[in-house]
Amino acid sequence: KALLRQVLSVTALGVAFSLAMLVFLGFGLMRRLGRLTEVSQRLAEGDLSVRAAISGRDEIGRLGAAFNGMAQKLAGQNIQALLAEQQAILDNALIGIWLVRNRVIVRCNRRCEELFGYAQEEMRGKSVRIIYPSDAIFEERGRRAYDILGRGESCVEEMELVRKGVGISDVSTLG
């Protein structure tokens, strides 16, 4: 009888320990899966910056890494789609639109090509000086425009600008 009690006691302890380990591991697994579920829901709602803070060499860790790779790819595709949409808007605008940094042309739309006679590639990286009739007008316009823009106001002016191979044309500008 004593041996039977001892065997039953050891068995009961083994079962209790096994159950405790299952509960402990189960809660850990559920917590990690719960975090992955939350992150998945945020991604489904459009938050493309969300990433799963799950690591490890087990299946859940690999699932987290795969999820993060998928989220990164979706974010990249979203950026490409937004850039294509922005370019379509620019290319179909009825007015000339420039993106200028430090008075150097970064980008422009097709309408600028038509207005000034330069291909986009010819203008990209060039100073906007190419459209002004003189250095003096270029410098004065820069001082005036940057002063107004620096105050957070819009700069609207009628002026003469140069079209490639043609000469001077009257143009309205807004900055």
Side-chain angles (χ1 to χ4, degrees):
K1 267 189 168 187
L3 181 60
L4 182 59
R5 260 190 235 145
Q6 203 174 20
V7 169
L8 288 175
S9 296
V10 170
T11 304
L13 282 174
V15 169
F17 178 75
S18 296
L19 285 173
M21 288 303 295
L22 282 173
V23 168
F24 176 75
L25 292 174
F27 279 129
L29 178 65
M30 294 306 292
R31 187 179 65 245
R32 293 171 75 201
L33 286 174
R35 280 189 285 172
L36 191 56
T37 300
E38 288 174 27
V39 170
S40 297
Q41 288 170 339
R42 286 182 49 200
L43 182 67
E45 292 168 358
D47 183 358
L48 298 178
S49 66
V50 70
R51 297 295 180 271
I54 296 174
S55 60
R57 294 184 180 176
D58 63 352
E59 288 77 11
I60 303 297
R62 288 196 301 267
L63 180 60
F67 177 87
N68 289 339
M70 176 190 67
Q72 184 68 35
K73 187 173 182 177
L74 286 172
Q77 290 172 345
N78 189 54
I79 289 170
Q80 292 303 315
L82 290 172
L83 287 173
E85 182 179 303
Q86 180 185 50
Q87 191 62 48
I89 291 168
L90 285 174
D91 286 343
N92 291 292
L94 298 175
I95 60 172
I97 301 172
W98 309 65
L99 172 58
V100 176
R101 285 194 187 107
N102 299 318
R103 302 194 83 185
V104 173
I105 302 164
V106 176
R107 282 177 70 186
C108 62
N109 67 349
R110 290 184 193 151
R111 185 69 177 129
C112 283
E113 292 181 58
E114 297 167 10
L115 288 170
F116 295 104
Y118 292 95
Q120 288 183 32
E121 295 75 34
E122 286 181 276
M123 290 185 277
R124 191 173 296 126
K126 297 272 190 334
S127 168
V128 292
R129 167 62 182 92
I130 62 173
I131 63 165
Y132 287 92
S134 70
D135 289 338
I137 294 171
F138 169 73
E139 293 298 329
E140 174 56 28
R141 166 68 171 159
R143 277 191 295 278
R144 212 171 43 250
Y146 280 101
D147 179 53
I148 293 168
L149 295 171
R151 294 191 308 259
E153 300 172 16
S154 294
C155 180
V156 180
E157 294 185 349
E158 294 283 330
M159 61 179 24
E160 292 181 335
L161 297 176
V162 176
R163 179 173 163 76
K164 179 182 177 183
V166 175
I168 298 174
S169 301
D170 288 325
V171 177
S172 290
T173 64
L174 168 66

